[in-house]
Amino acid sequence: MTETALEPNRATGALSNCIPDSHTVAARFAALSHPARIEILKHLSASNSCCCREVVDRFDLAQSTVSQHLKILVEAGLVRFEPDRQRSRYAVDRAALADISASLNALVNSCCSGR
Amino acid sequence: MTETALEPNRATGALSNCIPDSHTVAARFAALSHPARIEILKHLSASNSCCCREVVDRFDLAQSTVSQHLKILVEAGLVRFEPDRQRSRYAVDRAALADISASLNALVNSCCSGR
DNA sequence: ATCGTTCATCGGCGATAGACGATGAACGAT
DNA sequence: ATCGTTCATCGTCTATCGCCGATGAACGAT
């Protein structure tokens, strides 16, 4: 994500008052732009809450790799993290997920009402 | 996008029959994971249709860079391309955009009804 | 005190992304 | 025929991604 010289918030007028800054939206989508993370997200939501190990067992990925994916999801705000003894519990933040979905809807709507 | 050894379509049972394959979804989000491309998308939809030059003038990016971003959007199926004389006309594919929005909604729903 | 388990982080590696300038094809206009 | 404009593509560069194994901290259990 190189910091391109887009005029800051240039298109953030008019319709887009309900749409977060492009960088923010892009960052969220970036978190969703890897198949493993999508699968992890599904898995987390199906189990309500998982520790890292559970995810590692489920997917054919090294523990360090899974840990990184989880970190990315947490940093994107899509997953909540809570240390629990020697475990780490991860859970989908359903509100955040709904939020990003709303962002996309808003983007789509702004595109469709554009003409 | 490294081809990870995710069990093919492992989580594609049950609820997710309406959700496209994770790789597909991820690829679409990847196209949206760059702020410039989001801005370009907005710009395209506001103008209904643009040639590359118009986008270049609008954003502080080299022509080659814009051309690449447009190509990515086209390859993701979010933007339609039509050559027009020496110009290239690009237009948002609103249906595709609505479609990806629906994919995300489905993902969110599957996550929320998970428990 | 020691061992096993869980986890985050580091370092390294290859692949990809994203930026740019340069180039040449296609086309309109002169 | 020549020039200017528009555009896609190529080559290059740097930064980041995504993967892994190794390591050490934290903790439970023995």
Side-chain angles (χ1 to χ4, degrees), chain B residues 51-53 81-89:
Chain B
C51 65
C52 180
R53 187 77 211 302
F81 163 78
E82 190 189 1
D84 172 28
R85 325 273 176 176
Q86 78 270 49
R87 305 289 181 84
S88 294
R89 301 224 62 88

Short mmCIF file of all heavy atoms in Angstrom, two decimals, chain B residues 51-53 81-89, chain C residues 25-29, chain D residues 4-8:
data_model
loop_
_atom_site.label_atom_id
_atom_site.label_comp_id
_atom_site.label_asym_id
_atom_site.label_seq_id
_atom_site.Cartn_x
_atom_site.Cartn_y
_atom_site.Cartn_z
N CYS B 51 -12.35 8.11 -20.36
CA CYS B 51 -11.18 7.55 -21.01
C CYS B 51 -10.03 7.65 -20.01
O CYS B 51 -10.12 8.33 -18.99
CB CYS B 51 -10.85 8.28 -22.31
SG CYS B 51 -10.35 9.98 -22.07
N CYS B 52 -8.97 6.95 -20.30
CA CYS B 52 -7.84 6.89 -19.40
C CYS B 52 -7.29 8.28 -19.06
O CYS B 52 -7.00 8.59 -17.92
CB CYS B 52 -6.75 6.02 -20.03
SG CYS B 52 -5.27 5.82 -19.04
N ARG B 53 -7.19 9.08 -20.09
CA ARG B 53 -6.65 10.43 -19.93
C ARG B 53 -7.39 11.22 -18.86
O ARG B 53 -6.78 11.89 -18.03
CB ARG B 53 -6.73 11.17 -21.28
CG ARG B 53 -6.06 12.52 -21.30
CD ARG B 53 -4.57 12.37 -21.40
NE ARG B 53 -3.84 13.45 -20.72
CZ ARG B 53 -3.94 14.73 -20.97
NH1 ARG B 53 -4.78 15.17 -21.88
NH2 ARG B 53 -3.22 15.61 -20.30
N PHE B 81 -14.72 -2.29 -20.38
CA PHE B 81 -13.80 -1.60 -21.27
C PHE B 81 -14.34 -1.63 -22.68
O PHE B 81 -14.85 -2.64 -23.14
CB PHE B 81 -12.44 -2.30 -21.22
CG PHE B 81 -11.55 -1.95 -22.37
CD1 PHE B 81 -10.87 -0.75 -22.40
CD2 PHE B 81 -11.39 -2.84 -23.43
CE1 PHE B 81 -10.05 -0.42 -23.47
CE2 PHE B 81 -10.57 -2.52 -24.50
CZ PHE B 81 -9.90 -1.30 -24.52
N GLU B 82 -14.25 -0.48 -23.35
CA GLU B 82 -14.66 -0.44 -24.75
C GLU B 82 -13.77 0.54 -25.49
O GLU B 82 -13.73 1.72 -25.17
CB GLU B 82 -16.13 0.00 -24.84
CG GLU B 82 -16.71 -0.14 -26.23
CD GLU B 82 -18.09 0.50 -26.28
OE1 GLU B 82 -18.53 1.05 -25.25
OE2 GLU B 82 -18.71 0.48 -27.35
N PRO B 83 -13.05 0.04 -26.49
CA PRO B 83 -12.21 0.93 -27.28
C PRO B 83 -13.09 1.87 -28.10
O PRO B 83 -14.12 1.45 -28.64
CB PRO B 83 -11.42 -0.03 -28.18
CG PRO B 83 -12.18 -1.29 -28.19
CD PRO B 83 -12.94 -1.36 -26.92
N ASP B 84 -12.70 3.12 -28.17
CA ASP B 84 -13.49 4.12 -28.86
C ASP B 84 -12.52 5.06 -29.59
O ASP B 84 -11.93 5.93 -28.98
CB ASP B 84 -14.33 4.89 -27.83
CG ASP B 84 -15.04 6.07 -28.46
OD1 ASP B 84 -15.33 6.01 -29.66
OD2 ASP B 84 -15.27 7.07 -27.73
N ARG B 85 -12.32 4.83 -30.87
CA ARG B 85 -11.33 5.57 -31.64
C ARG B 85 -9.97 5.35 -30.98
O ARG B 85 -9.65 4.22 -30.63
CB ARG B 85 -11.64 7.08 -31.68
CG ARG B 85 -13.09 7.41 -31.72
CD ARG B 85 -13.58 7.42 -33.16
NE ARG B 85 -15.01 7.65 -33.22
CZ ARG B 85 -15.65 7.77 -34.37
NH1 ARG B 85 -14.99 7.67 -35.51
NH2 ARG B 85 -16.96 7.96 -34.40
N GLN B 86 -9.25 6.44 -30.80
CA GLN B 86 -7.96 6.26 -30.14
C GLN B 86 -8.09 6.28 -28.63
O GLN B 86 -7.13 6.09 -27.91
CB GLN B 86 -6.96 7.33 -30.61
CG GLN B 86 -7.14 8.69 -29.98
CD GLN B 86 -8.08 9.56 -30.78
OE1 GLN B 86 -9.19 9.12 -31.15
NE2 GLN B 86 -7.68 10.78 -31.06
N ARG B 87 -9.31 6.49 -28.18
CA ARG B 87 -9.56 6.50 -26.74
C ARG B 87 -9.86 5.08 -26.24
O ARG B 87 -10.04 4.16 -27.03
CB ARG B 87 -10.78 7.38 -26.39
CG ARG B 87 -10.67 8.80 -26.90
CD ARG B 87 -9.65 9.57 -26.12
NE ARG B 87 -9.55 10.96 -26.58
CZ ARG B 87 -10.36 11.93 -26.17
NH1 ARG B 87 -11.32 11.66 -25.32
NH2 ARG B 87 -10.19 13.16 -26.62
N SER B 88 -9.92 4.95 -24.92
CA SER B 88 -10.43 3.73 -24.32
C SER B 88 -11.48 4.16 -23.32
O SER B 88 -11.19 4.93 -22.42
CB SER B 88 -9.32 2.98 -23.59
OG SER B 88 -8.37 2.51 -24.50
N ARG B 89 -12.64 3.69 -23.50
CA ARG B 89 -13.72 4.09 -22.60
C ARG B 89 -13.87 3.04 -21.50
O ARG B 89 -13.96 1.85 -21.76
CB ARG B 89 -15.03 4.27 -23.35
CG ARG B 89 -14.94 5.31 -24.47
CD ARG B 89 -16.14 6.24 -24.47
NE ARG B 89 -16.26 7.00 -23.23
CZ ARG B 89 -15.68 8.19 -23.01
NH1 ARG B 89 -14.92 8.76 -23.94
NH2 ARG B 89 -15.84 8.82 -21.87
P DA C 25 5.40 -0.09 -33.64
OP1 DA C 25 6.18 -1.26 -34.06
OP2 DA C 25 5.57 1.21 -34.32
"O5'" DA C 25 3.86 -0.47 -33.68
"C5'" DA C 25 3.30 -1.28 -32.66
"C4'" DA C 25 1.87 -0.84 -32.34
"O4'" DA C 25 1.91 0.34 -31.50
"C3'" DA C 25 1.05 -0.45 -33.59
"O3'" DA C 25 -0.22 -1.05 -33.49
"C2'" DA C 25 0.97 1.07 -33.52
"C1'" DA C 25 1.03 1.32 -32.03
N9 DA C 25 1.59 2.62 -31.65
C8 DA C 25 2.81 3.13 -32.00
N7 DA C 25 3.05 4.32 -31.50
C5 DA C 25 1.92 4.61 -30.76
C6 DA C 25 1.55 5.72 -29.98
N6 DA C 25 2.34 6.79 -29.81
N1 DA C 25 0.35 5.70 -29.37
C2 DA C 25 -0.43 4.63 -29.55
N3 DA C 25 -0.20 3.52 -30.26
C4 DA C 25 1.01 3.57 -30.84
P DA C 26 -1.21 -1.01 -34.75
OP1 DA C 26 -1.98 -2.28 -34.72
OP2 DA C 26 -0.43 -0.62 -35.95
"O5'" DA C 26 -2.19 0.18 -34.39
"C5'" DA C 26 -3.00 0.07 -33.22
"C4'" DA C 26 -3.81 1.34 -33.09
"O4'" DA C 26 -2.93 2.42 -32.67
"C3'" DA C 26 -4.46 1.80 -34.39
"O3'" DA C 26 -5.82 2.10 -34.12
"C2'" DA C 26 -3.68 3.04 -34.79
"C1'" DA C 26 -3.24 3.57 -33.42
N9 DA C 26 -2.03 4.39 -33.44
C8 DA C 26 -0.86 4.16 -34.10
N7 DA C 26 0.05 5.08 -33.90
C5 DA C 26 -0.57 5.99 -33.05
C6 DA C 26 -0.14 7.19 -32.46
N6 DA C 26 1.07 7.71 -32.65
N1 DA C 26 -1.01 7.83 -31.66
C2 DA C 26 -2.23 7.31 -31.48
N3 DA C 26 -2.75 6.19 -31.97
C4 DA C 26 -1.86 5.56 -32.75
P DC C 27 -6.82 2.21 -35.37
OP1 DC C 27 -8.07 1.53 -34.95
OP2 DC C 27 -6.14 1.86 -36.63
"O5'" DC C 27 -7.11 3.77 -35.38
"C5'" DC C 27 -7.53 4.42 -34.18
"C4'" DC C 27 -7.22 5.89 -34.26
"O4'" DC C 27 -5.80 6.09 -34.20
"C3'" DC C 27 -7.67 6.56 -35.56
"O3'" DC C 27 -8.76 7.42 -35.29
"C2'" DC C 27 -6.44 7.32 -36.05
"C1'" DC C 27 -5.57 7.35 -34.78
N1 DC C 27 -4.13 7.52 -35.07
C2 DC C 27 -3.44 8.58 -34.47
O2 DC C 27 -4.05 9.32 -33.71
N3 DC C 27 -2.12 8.75 -34.74
C4 DC C 27 -1.50 7.91 -35.57
N4 DC C 27 -0.21 8.12 -35.79
C5 DC C 27 -2.18 6.83 -36.19
C6 DC C 27 -3.49 6.67 -35.92
P DG C 28 -9.60 8.10 -36.50
OP1 DG C 28 -10.98 7.58 -36.45
OP2 DG C 28 -8.80 8.01 -37.73
"O5'" DG C 28 -9.62 9.63 -36.04
"C5'" DG C 28 -9.02 9.99 -34.80
"C4'" DG C 28 -8.84 11.49 -34.67
"O4'" DG C 28 -7.42 11.80 -34.67
"C3'" DG C 28 -9.43 12.33 -35.80
"O3'" DG C 28 -9.82 13.61 -35.29
"C2'" DG C 28 -8.28 12.43 -36.79
"C1'" DG C 28 -7.05 12.43 -35.88
N9 DG C 28 -5.93 11.68 -36.45
C8 DG C 28 -6.00 10.49 -37.12
N7 DG C 28 -4.83 10.06 -37.53
C5 DG C 28 -3.94 11.03 -37.09
C6 DG C 28 -2.53 11.12 -37.24
O6 DG C 28 -1.77 10.33 -37.79
N1 DG C 28 -2.02 12.29 -36.66
C2 DG C 28 -2.78 13.23 -36.01
N2 DG C 28 -2.12 14.28 -35.51
N3 DG C 28 -4.09 13.16 -35.87
C4 DG C 28 -4.61 12.04 -36.43
P DA C 29 -10.38 14.73 -36.25
OP1 DA C 29 -11.33 15.55 -35.46
OP2 DA C 29 -10.81 14.12 -37.53
"O5'" DA C 29 -9.08 15.61 -36.52
"C5'" DA C 29 -8.33 16.11 -35.41
"C4'" DA C 29 -7.17 16.95 -35.90
"O4'" DA C 29 -6.11 16.09 -36.40
"C3'" DA C 29 -7.53 17.90 -37.04
"O3'" DA C 29 -6.85 19.13 -36.86
"C2'" DA C 29 -7.02 17.17 -38.28
"C1'" DA C 29 -5.77 16.50 -37.71
N9 DA C 29 -5.34 15.32 -38.44
C8 DA C 29 -6.13 14.31 -38.92
N7 DA C 29 -5.47 13.36 -39.53
C5 DA C 29 -4.14 13.77 -39.45
C6 DA C 29 -2.94 13.20 -39.90
N6 DA C 29 -2.88 12.03 -40.55
N1 DA C 29 -1.79 13.88 -39.64
C2 DA C 29 -1.86 15.05 -38.98
N3 DA C 29 -2.94 15.67 -38.49
C4 DA C 29 -4.04 14.98 -38.77
P DG D 4 4.39 18.00 -32.81
OP1 DG D 4 4.75 19.36 -32.34
OP2 DG D 4 5.31 16.87 -32.59
"O5'" DG D 4 2.98 17.62 -32.16
"C5'" DG D 4 1.83 18.41 -32.48
"C4'" DG D 4 0.60 17.81 -31.82
"O4'" DG D 4 0.23 16.59 -32.51
"C3'" DG D 4 0.84 17.41 -30.36
"O3'" DG D 4 -0.32 17.74 -29.61
"C2'" DG D 4 1.06 15.91 -30.43
"C1'" DG D 4 0.22 15.49 -31.62
N9 DG D 4 0.76 14.34 -32.34
C8 DG D 4 2.06 14.11 -32.71
N7 DG D 4 2.23 12.99 -33.35
C5 DG D 4 0.95 12.44 -33.40
C6 DG D 4 0.51 11.22 -33.98
O6 DG D 4 1.17 10.37 -34.57
N1 DG D 4 -0.85 11.05 -33.80
C2 DG D 4 -1.69 11.93 -33.16
N2 DG D 4 -2.97 11.60 -33.08
N3 DG D 4 -1.29 13.08 -32.61
C4 DG D 4 0.04 13.26 -32.77
P DT D 5 -0.35 17.50 -28.08
OP1 DT D 5 -0.99 18.67 -27.45
OP2 DT D 5 0.99 17.04 -27.66
"O5'" DT D 5 -1.34 16.27 -27.99
"C5'" DT D 5 -2.58 16.32 -28.71
"C4'" DT D 5 -3.33 15.02 -28.52
"O4'" DT D 5 -2.75 13.99 -29.37
"C3'" DT D 5 -3.27 14.46 -27.10
"O3'" DT D 5 -4.59 14.16 -26.69
"C2'" DT D 5 -2.41 13.21 -27.21
"C1'" DT D 5 -2.62 12.80 -28.67
N1 DT D 5 -1.50 12.03 -29.27
C2 DT D 5 -1.77 10.85 -29.90
O2 DT D 5 -2.88 10.38 -29.99
N3 DT D 5 -0.68 10.23 -30.45
C4 DT D 5 0.64 10.66 -30.41
O4 DT D 5 1.53 10.02 -30.94
C5 DT D 5 0.84 11.90 -29.73
C7 DT D 5 2.23 12.47 -29.62
C6 DT D 5 -0.22 12.54 -29.19
P DT D 6 -4.90 13.75 -25.22
OP1 DT D 6 -6.22 14.30 -24.87
OP2 DT D 6 -3.71 14.01 -24.40
"O5'" DT D 6 -5.04 12.17 -25.36
"C5'" DT D 6 -6.00 11.62 -26.26
"C4'" DT D 6 -5.82 10.13 -26.30
"O4'" DT D 6 -4.61 9.81 -27.01
"C3'" DT D 6 -5.70 9.46 -24.93
"O3'" DT D 6 -6.75 8.52 -24.78
"C2'" DT D 6 -4.32 8.81 -24.94
"C1'" DT D 6 -4.03 8.68 -26.42
N1 DT D 6 -2.59 8.68 -26.79
C2 DT D 6 -2.11 7.66 -27.58
O2 DT D 6 -2.82 6.75 -28.00
N3 DT D 6 -0.77 7.74 -27.88
C4 DT D 6 0.11 8.72 -27.46
O4 DT D 6 1.30 8.69 -27.79
C5 DT D 6 -0.46 9.74 -26.63
C7 DT D 6 0.42 10.85 -26.12
C6 DT D 6 -1.77 9.68 -26.33
P DC D 7 -7.07 7.90 -23.39
OP1 DC D 7 -8.48 7.50 -23.39
OP2 DC D 7 -6.52 8.80 -22.35
"O5'" DC D 7 -6.20 6.58 -23.43
"C5'" DC D 7 -6.52 5.59 -24.41
"C4'" DC D 7 -5.36 4.62 -24.55
"O4'" DC D 7 -4.18 5.33 -24.96
"C3'" DC D 7 -4.95 3.91 -23.28
"O3'" DC D 7 -5.57 2.62 -23.29
"C2'" DC D 7 -3.43 3.81 -23.37
"C1'" DC D 7 -3.10 4.47 -24.70
N1 DC D 7 -1.84 5.27 -24.68
C2 DC D 7 -0.75 4.83 -25.40
O2 DC D 7 -0.84 3.79 -26.04
N3 DC D 7 0.40 5.56 -25.36
C4 DC D 7 0.45 6.68 -24.65
N4 DC D 7 1.59 7.39 -24.64
C5 DC D 7 -0.68 7.16 -23.90
C6 DC D 7 -1.79 6.43 -23.94
P DA D 8 -5.44 1.66 -22.08
OP1 DA D 8 -6.71 0.94 -21.95
OP2 DA D 8 -4.90 2.43 -20.94
"O5'" DA D 8 -4.33 0.65 -22.59
"C5'" DA D 8 -4.45 0.11 -23.89
"C4'" DA D 8 -3.30 -0.83 -24.19
"O4'" DA D 8 -2.09 -0.06 -24.42
"C3'" DA D 8 -2.95 -1.81 -23.08
"O3'" DA D 8 -2.58 -3.04 -23.69
"C2'" DA D 8 -1.78 -1.15 -22.36
"C1'" DA D 8 -1.09 -0.36 -23.47
N9 DA D 8 -0.50 0.92 -23.05
C8 DA D 8 -1.07 1.85 -22.23
N7 DA D 8 -0.33 2.92 -22.05
C5 DA D 8 0.81 2.67 -22.80
C6 DA D 8 1.99 3.42 -23.02
N6 DA D 8 2.21 4.62 -22.49
N1 DA D 8 2.92 2.87 -23.83
C2 DA D 8 2.69 1.67 -24.37
N3 DA D 8 1.62 0.87 -24.23
C4 DA D 8 0.71 1.44 -23.43
#
